[in-house]
Amino acid sequence: MSEEQIKNLEKQFEERIARDEKIEPKDWMPEKYRQTHIRQMSQHAHSEIVGMLPEGNWITRAPSLRRKVALLAKVQDEAGHGLYLYSATETLGISRDELYEQLHTGKAKYSSIFNYPTLTWADMGAIGWLVDGAAIINQVPLCSTSYGPYARAMIRVCKEESFHQRQGYEIMIKLANGTPEQKEMAQDALNRWWWPSLMMLGPTDAESIHTEQSMKWKLKRKSNDELRQQFIDQTVPQADLIGLTIPDPNLKWNEERQSYDFGEIDWDEFWQVVKGHGPMNKERMKARVGAWERGEWVRDAAMAYAEKQQDRKEKQVV
Amino acid sequence: MKENLYNYILQIADNSLILGQRMGELCGHGPSLETDIACTNISLDLFGQVRSYYQYAAKIAADGRTEDDIAMLRKERDYLNILLVEQPNTDFGYTMARQFLFDVYHLLFLKELEKSKDLILSAIATKSIKEVTYHQRFSSDWIKRLGDGTEESHERIQNAINDLWTYTDELFRLSEVDEEMLEEGVAVDISKLKNGYYQKVSDVLEEATLTVPESKYFQKGGKQGIHTEHMGYLLADLQYMQRAYPNMEW
């Protein structure tokens, strides 16, 4: 293809996106579009899978049968999200095994929030309320992103995430209205998860390298700072309502902006965790790689069995 | 209180509780996403059944105890599950072998429990049969895949079956409670399930190119509350919150 032809295709491609048409797997797309989507979608899938670990940590210790069932169902939903996000990513011409390889070697990233430990039952509430809350703010705009398989996967993901968020908040309500010990547990969880949740919305606009291109492709509709403000404005009244205190002495309602002003985020901590040196980065990877390696003989067996079955079928036909 | 009925319910429900807890341990650590989802599903089904049974038991006890008190605040000696279900997730082979050896029993048992004179137990059985039919299909399929897969998987699953075989005979041993409730037309005569069980298990093992163990040495005690050393640790997790923060609502 000549350079001019490619330019022409690119132009048509950008126009389709501008008209809000969906790009489908068999359509022509610029290589950069494909790579960017593989990166973002797989990062998202990996986040679902690694995200199963901090909550999975409390399944065996959930305080009641009702809570245990709800937590199991939630973590199972995350596995389901991972599954269809991986499938959606595979439509871009990369295999699930390759994607796992990228995760296990550290080439691919996942959401840094999952590198924090879950220390008490209240963390199950805080994660649902704050982490899923921030995730929804990040993800709702993706329901109308330009790549068809991603947009369709996200519609389903978002529905389930908002259910999880309500469930998490409900855990917090129960604790906040419980005994002093329970309330303390809830406040402690909020203290530990608040700042990492704010970091989930990404680096400040000045530091964000992908924003402009992502806006054009509708992978993004608002900047990180706008999303963060939205999250804070939405969450502070929820904390007030149940009598918990946001751990930020500089948090203050700004009448003029009709928004909350808030304190400085510790970006050194953010980058430390992103670069692999958070409290749980090594353990999370060890758990994922360990499960994969321990499962190898099982996957091999399933493959061998399927091949034998296929051979037998073919022989029967002959 | 109808003590025999109460204990009979626990005897059934504790199996689902302890196996559900074991399957829950694996969530996020399975050999593939698909098996992870399936194992979590089995765990969810079992806990769903557990809740129905314990809610019924709580009603029978009528002393203010809730389903959670019954599930989480007994002493080890008061748990009446069979030894098989408390065995650990040594590897995926043990997990599937344990599941399979229990599922075959569970399905036969529920199909009889459906005929119980006790209408609530009968209704729980009807609902559970659908779920356990799927469990049995899932675990049987894996026995076949692992048995007739690679050399390594064949050896691993054979070892798991051999090791867990010793816990199968207990499935068919009538406890005093079983006998009392049998007289009232409530209980299942589990001794009569034995032949059908070993037939079904042998069929699947043979199809999986595995050897049916011939050992005649069996372990028992779970139904009398005498467990293996694994049980204490399992309960330490299960009971942790209720023990550390007593008398609270969650």
Side-chain angles (χ1 to χ4, degrees):
Chain A
M1 231 184 289
S2 74
E3 214 168 291
E4 198 177 331
Q5 279 172 314
I6 292 180
K7 274 214 170 114
N8 207 11
L9 280 171
E10 276 175 4
K11 188 166 167 278
Q12 286 174 18
F13 180 84
E14 300 294 347
E15 283 167 359
R16 286 185 63 194
I17 292 181
R19 284 197 302 271
D20 261 339
E21 279 178 41
K22 292 281 176 256
I23 307 301
E24 295 301 333
K26 286 186 176 153
D27 296 347
W28 183 87
M29 62 185 80
E31 191 50 28
K32 193 171 170 215
Y33 181 90
R34 183 190 306 278
Q35 291 308 331
T36 302
H37 278 76
I38 289 177
R39 183 177 57 78
Q40 175 160 338
M41 289 165 69
S42 66
Q43 189 170 318
H44 193 163
H46 298 325
S47 300
E48 297 284 354
I49 301 314
V50 178
M52 293 169 73
L53 299 170
E55 291 179 292
N57 185 36
W58 279 87
I59 287 174
T60 60
R61 292 177 295 167
S64 70
L65 292 173
R66 185 172 80 91
R67 292 293 184 200
K68 194 190 285 279
V69 167
L71 184 60
L72 269 164
K74 184 186 178 201
V75 181
Q76 188 188 35
D77 281 348
E78 283 155 9
H81 297 171
L83 198 58
Y84 39 84
L85 284 166
Y86 280 126
S87 302
T89 314
E90 284 179 297
T91 64
L92 291 164
I94 187 163
S95 70
R96 216 204 290 181
D97 281 3
E98 286 172 278
L99 295 170
Y100 281 149
E101 173 79 14
Q102 291 179 353
L103 173 68
H104 295 160
T105 55
K107 189 183 163 217
K109 297 263 181 276
Y110 57 88
S111 183
S112 267
I113 193 87
F114 301 120
N115 293 315
Y116 290 86
T118 51
L119 304 179
T120 70
W121 171 251
D123 290 16
M124 298 303 101
I127 288 181
W129 175 34
L130 303 174
V131 175
D132 290 314
I136 293 167
I137 284 181
N138 259 333
Q139 291 170 5
V140 165
L142 293 171
C143 296
S144 55
T145 189
S146 63
Y147 189 53
Y150 194 24
R152 289 189 288 275
M154 287 318 297
I155 290 171
R156 198 168 149 191
V157 169
C158 282
K159 272 188 201 151
E160 290 176 353
E161 294 290 4
S162 49
F163 176 73
H164 295 163
Q165 201 230 351
R166 281 202 298 277
Q167 194 172 279
Y169 187 54
E170 204 257 319
I171 290 177
M172 294 305 267
I173 294 176
K174 196 85 186 170
L175 295 174
N177 292 322
T179 64
E181 245 179 323
Q182 284 174 305
K183 190 165 180 185
E184 194 188 316
M185 194 191 278
Q187 181 63 54
D188 172 62
L190 173 57
N191 293 349
R192 283 181 289 110
W193 291 95
W194 174 253
W195 292 104
S197 298
L198 296 191
M199 295 175 197
M200 266 182 84
L201 284 315
T204 54
D205 296 350
E207 302 240 3
S208 180
I209 48 171
H210 301 298
T211 297
E212 200 188 330
Q213 180 69 77
S214 296
M215 292 268 191
K216 217 160 85 185
W217 287 338
K218 299 179 179 169
L219 273 168
K220 247 188 169 152
R221 301 265 164 150
K222 290 180 184 169
S223 76
N224 293 349
D225 288 334
E226 284 172 305
L227 293 172
R228 190 162 15 248
Q229 187 70 59
Q230 185 186 335
F231 174 73
I232 292 169
D233 291 347
Q234 158 191 315
T235 310
V236 173
Q238 293 171 350
D240 289 344
L241 195 67
I242 56 176
L244 296 179
T245 310
I246 303 283
D248 178 357
N250 297 314
L251 187 83
K252 216 173 84 198
W253 179 250
N254 182 323
E255 196 56 42
E256 200 181 313
R257 289 200 305 121
Q258 287 293 301
S259 254
Y260 283 94
D261 293 335
F262 55 96
E264 186 68 29
I265 292 170
D266 182 354
W267 292 110
D268 289 343
E269 177 182 321
F270 173 79
W271 290 112
Q272 178 176 335
V273 182
V274 169
K275 286 174 184 160
H277 306 288
M280 296 295 282
N281 295 59
K282 289 199 174 67
E283 283 82 352
R284 298 292 183 238
M285 257 324 94
K286 213 168 125 191
R288 281 316 317 157
V289 174
W292 185 247
E293 286 174 354
R294 279 191 306 278
E296 192 179 4
W297 69 273
V298 177
R299 296 188 303 274
D300 289 348
M303 289 288 280
Y305 179 77
E307 278 165 23
K308 284 184 199 174
Q309 292 297 100
Q310 189 61 30
D311 283 352
R312 280 170 203 153
K313 238 186 231 165
E314 278 163 17
K315 273 179 197 147
Q316 271 174 5
V317 174
V318 176
Chain B
M1 164 175 128
K2 300 175 187 165
E3 209 179 326
N4 281 330
L5 179 58
Y6 175 80
N7 281 322
Y8 187 63
I9 300 168
L10 294 193
Q11 222 178 255
I12 304 170
D14 287 354
N15 286 337
S16 295
L17 174 76
I18 302 303
L19 187 56
Q21 178 78 358
R22 278 289 185 227
M23 292 306 267
E25 288 171 10
L26 291 172
C27 193
H29 305 277
S32 70
L33 258 184
E34 287 82 353
T35 49
D36 237 25
I37 291 172
C39 289
T40 311
N41 219 37
I42 291 174
S43 181
L44 272 170
D45 286 344
L46 292 169
F47 280 118
Q49 295 165 16
V50 163
R51 294 192 66 194
S52 304
Y53 287 124
Y54 287 159
Q55 281 164 12
Y56 183 32
K59 220 171 171 183
I60 305 279
D63 56 3
R65 269 183 299 170
T66 65
E67 53 170 313
D68 293 323
D69 297 335
I70 297 175
M72 297 173 181
L73 287 175
R74 278 179 285 154
K75 300 271 189 290
E76 179 173 330
R77 286 287 268 106
D78 298 327
Y79 283 85
L80 304 178
N81 59 282
I82 48 166
L83 301 176
L84 174 67
V85 294
E86 71 200 46
Q87 299 311 306
N89 296 310
T90 307
D91 68 13
F92 189 73
Y94 278 82
T95 299
M96 281 304 108
R98 183 186 63 210
Q99 192 64 38
F100 168 66
L101 293 174
F102 182 70
D103 288 341
V104 175
Y105 162 81
H106 200 190
L107 189 56
L108 291 170
F109 174 82
L110 290 171
K111 282 181 176 167
E112 291 303 312
L113 188 65
E114 205 179 14
K115 301 173 196 159
S116 170
K117 270 190 187 167
D118 186 300
L119 294 180
I120 295 181
L121 288 180
S122 166
I124 300 174
T126 305
K127 179 187 157 274
S128 307
I129 283 171
K130 282 183 211 143
E131 297 165 348
V132 174
T133 303
Y134 164 76
H135 301 172
Q136 185 186 287
R137 198 170 68 215
F138 177 78
S139 60
S140 302
D141 283 351
W142 271 107
I143 296 295
K144 291 175 207 164
R145 276 189 205 109
L146 297 177
D148 196 15
T150 63
E151 229 173 274
E152 180 183 4
S153 71
H154 179 91
E155 195 186 321
R156 279 177 181 259
I157 191 67
Q158 183 72 62
N159 285 341
I161 292 281
N162 293 350
D163 280 357
L164 295 174
W165 196 255
T166 189
Y167 302 111
T168 54
D169 185 66
E170 188 187 14
L171 295 164
F172 312 103
R173 284 181 169 261
L174 292 160
S175 65
E176 272 176 45
V177 175
D178 282 318
E179 277 168 14
E180 300 268 358
M181 294 314 289
L182 202 52
E183 265 175 41
E184 291 186 33
V186 170
V188 174
D189 187 350
I190 45 178
S191 65
K192 289 191 178 144
L193 304 179
K194 196 168 177 174
N195 288 340
Y197 174 85
Y198 283 111
Q199 189 57 54
K200 170 78 188 171
V201 166
S202 303
D203 287 348
V204 174
L205 292 183
E206 272 160 30
E207 203 189 323
T209 73
L210 293 165
T211 310
V212 180
E214 283 175 6
S215 166
K216 295 278 178 274
Y217 298 105
F218 294 104
Q219 303 300 319
K220 60 178 193 299
K223 288 171 88 167
Q224 283 71 41
I226 299 170
H227 293 279
T228 58
E229 286 185 354
H230 304 295
M231 187 68 170
Y233 297 96
L234 183 148
L235 291 181
D237 270 358
L238 178 72
Q239 300 188 339
Y240 168 66
M241 289 296 291
Q242 290 281 342
R243 295 285 181 206
Y245 304 90
N247 304 315
M248 295 182 203
E249 280 183 34
W250 303 95

